[in-house]
Amino acid sequence: MVIHDIVVIGAGLAGMRAAIEAARAGLNVALVSKVHPVRSHSVAAQGGINAALKEDDSWEAHAFDTVKGSDYLADQDAVEILCKEAPENILELERMGAVFSRDERGRIAQRPFGALSYPRTCYAADRTGHTLVHVLYEQILRAGIWIYEEWMVVSLVVEDGICRGVICLNLATGRLHRLHSKAVILATGGYGRVFKHTTNALINTGDGMALALQAGARLMDMEFVQFHPTTLRRTGILITEGARGEGGYLLNREGERFMKRYAPEMMELASRDVVSRAEQTEIDEGRGVDGCVLLDIRHLGEKKINERLSQIRQLAIDFEGIDPVHDPIPVRPGAHYSMGGIEVDVWGETGIEGLYAAGECACVSVHGANRLGGNSLLETIVFGRRAGRRAAEYASSTELKPFPDVFLKEAAHEIALILNRDDGERASTIRHELSSTMNGCVGVFREEKGLKEALDRVRELRERYRKVCIDDKGDVFNTDLQNALELKNILLLAEAICLGALERRESRGAHYRKDYPKRDDENWLKHSLFCLKDGEIRIDYKDVTITRFPPKERRY
């Protein structure tokens, strides 16, 4: 019997920060990850992390920018916590060993980022996520936290309304294991692989959200999917917003800085949803270049590019054959981030006792309908820390109750059905149809006809999944099986996204309906909630928390 006080699922920034905080309480903490922790998707975050550090900035200004950027759907009590606690968390990361870029006075350097009224994005060149992941991993090793790497969680164990642990698949051996615990923290990141063109890693299949939904927790605001304006044409690899923060231009085929038509004040540094729609409009109206627009940083000069944007220079060379010192980079919008996720409070508590969530898989709603660049890394640290602390308080006052074998047998039965099925449909076929449908119908621009078509198709694919089969019947690193299990998760989340987008008859933030192009605060200033009943996703709504910033028109 394997027992831990707390099991953290996901070893990116949110998961590691939660685990470190829980371990500080003297508890037995374990991390479970599909990959080695330093290969978690948090390493892909490039541009920076926001905090009001300087005397002429304030957390209130940061909070207003965040609420405005969210198109007023963010819960403002949560936003206040995010922005108030940002400076202390950044300074703690520095004390842990994070090497941030410095300004001419030796202070942590801060650059402009989209929709910010002040240059408050702290950065480590264009490798900020990579830097922070390695710093926190050092702290994980220092704290003696147990790591189950290359393990996949296949189910949460919830008994009598209380989360008792997890069932995991050891990918190296193919064996299932029970991990008993007093509390579980989900920090599994996003679901970008629902879409065909995405910045997300292959591992980002929304496992934590799907597990929570199937266990009885609710999801929130799933229709709000952020499309990042600058992703590489062929691969979808992220090109940081920092490129525009450092002064990069967006050009159409005529060489025009077209953002002046869409956001005359902020230009390329308008909010991501505004920039993505502008780019897509240019492309759709024939002013693009081979289905893209151009990101031009040539005028920054080779010295500055090598100092602050060296990674994106190398990515452009390696994956597009273009050196941005000499030529513009072809970019287009790509699925990037989920504003929605598991419904949690400001301490990461879900509706299930003993189950917590933090980071991109959670929705405390600090991002609302559109996230500001630099706030995602901040959310992982601030709310990862808070979830770890609250879970530790709960575990310290709770007795462990091991769960029976029946949960293991149920998980084994589901996997056996897939392994023993010789005739059926390949997971890759279903997955290709899903991602193509989502890109085509649930992208930057949406309308009723396409959303209905997507919802019907996703429901059809969920039915077809019941007969999925795989070629690899082995035990050792059976990625065929892993892909099939992940497909179940992304199909479930895709249905929630489509249903939420179809029902929300307005445009707000990243959710833009051509047939309902205006924001409608009277009818739609509310969060969407999703639960699973008898295998079907049901939708409900709740009010947005507004404290100090009443909704008004958003202009850039």
Side-chain angles (χ1 to χ4, degrees), residues 249-252 254-270 274-275 278-279 282 287 556:
Y249 303 149
L250 288 172
L251 307 175
N252 60 20
E254 280 89 37
E256 174 194 18
R257 287 183 68 184
F258 57 84
M259 283 307 303
K260 65 186 178 184
R261 280 199 297 278
Y262 305 93
E265 293 181 18
M266 298 291 286
M267 295 286 283
E268 286 87 359
L269 289 178
V274 172
V275 180
E279 290 183 351
E282 293 294 303
R287 294 185 294 275
Y556 291 108

Side-chain angles (χ1 to χ4, degrees), residues 6-19:
I6 297 175
V7 173
V8 181
I9 313 303
L13 288 176
M16 287 199 286
R17 188 63 191 85

Side-chain angles (χ1 to χ4, degrees), residues 329-502:
I329 308 169
V331 294
R332 59 174 172 155
H336 179 60
Y337 188 87
S338 167
M339 275 72 75
I342 304 162
E343 181 193 19
V344 296
D345 66 10
V346 295
W347 288 100
E349 295 176 315
T350 68
I352 298 173
E353 184 178 336
L355 181 64
Y356 303 80
E360 189 176 352
C361 78
C363 185
V364 65
S365 201
V366 289
H367 308 307
N370 175 68
R371 174 177 70 78
L372 297 192
N375 273 354
S376 61
L377 291 187
L378 181 60
E379 181 196 17
T380 66
I381 302 301
V382 169
F383 289 102
R385 179 186 187 185
R386 290 172 71 88
R389 183 175 300 175
R390 182 53 58 90
E393 292 170 357
Y394 173 81
S396 296
S397 60
T398 302
E399 289 188 11
L400 180 78
K401 183 181 178 182
F403 54 86
D405 289 346
V406 64
F407 292 97
L408 181 67
K409 291 178 181 177
E410 289 175 355
H413 177 68
E414 181 179 352
I415 290 174
L417 287 177
I418 297 173
L419 286 171
N420 294 329
R421 190 177 292 126
D422 293 322
D423 185 28
E425 192 162 8
R426 297 299 184 268
S428 58
T429 302
I430 297 174
R431 190 160 177 172
H432 175 74
E433 289 188 34
L434 172 68
S435 62
S436 298
T437 297
M438 295 299 288
N439 253 71
C441 300
V442 200
V444 174
F445 294 113
R446 304 167 175 182
E447 55 189 336
E448 184 171 348
K449 181 181 177 182
L451 292 172
K452 283 183 175 179
E453 177 185 327
L455 183 59
D456 289 343
R457 176 59 63 85
V458 170
R459 286 172 171 167
E460 174 201 326
L461 293 174
R462 282 191 69 198
E463 282 298 313
R464 285 163 54 185
Y465 176 80
R466 295 176 183 272
K467 295 182 179 179
V468 74
C469 71
I470 59 177
D471 296 320
D472 188 349
K473 308 296 184 180
D475 295 325
V476 178
F477 285 110
N478 189 336
T479 54
D480 211 0
L481 174 61
Q482 180 183 345
N483 290 338
L485 295 173
E486 290 172 337
L487 177 60
K488 178 185 176 183
N489 295 332
I490 61 175
L491 283 167
L492 190 61
L493 300 180
E495 182 171 344
I497 295 166
C498 293
L499 180 60
L502 180 62

Side-chain angles (χ1 to χ4, degrees), residues 237-354:
I237 291 173
L238 176 68
I239 296 297
T240 176
E241 192 164 307
R244 288 172 283 134
E246 295 293 346
Y249 303 149
L250 288 172
L251 307 175
N252 60 20
R253 67 184 303 163
E254 280 89 37
E256 174 194 18
R257 287 183 68 184
F258 57 84
M259 283 307 303
K260 65 186 178 184
R261 280 199 297 278
Y262 305 93
E265 293 181 18
M266 298 291 286
M267 295 286 283
E268 286 87 359
L269 289 178
S271 64
R272 288 178 175 176
D273 61 311
V274 172
V275 180
S276 290
R277 283 194 295 274
E279 290 183 351
Q280 195 63 51
T281 299
E282 293 294 303
I283 294 167
D284 292 346
E285 293 182 358
R287 294 185 294 275
V289 181
D290 295 329
C292 298
V293 294
L294 301 176
L295 174 63
D296 191 356
I297 60 172
R298 292 174 293 178
H299 55 284
L300 301 182
E302 186 170 5
K303 182 176 183 295
K304 188 172 185 177
I305 291 171
N306 286 339
E307 178 186 327
R308 301 189 184 183
L309 301 169
S310 59
Q311 185 183 57
I312 70 161
R313 181 185 184 187
Q314 197 61 51
L315 290 171
I317 292 170
D318 291 345
F319 292 96
E320 289 291 341
I322 288 172
D323 186 344
V325 169
H326 306 296
D327 297 290
I329 308 169
V331 294
R332 59 174 172 155
H336 179 60
Y337 188 87
S338 167
M339 275 72 75
I342 304 162
E343 181 193 19
V344 296
D345 66 10
V346 295
W347 288 100
E349 295 176 315
T350 68
I352 298 173
E353 184 178 336

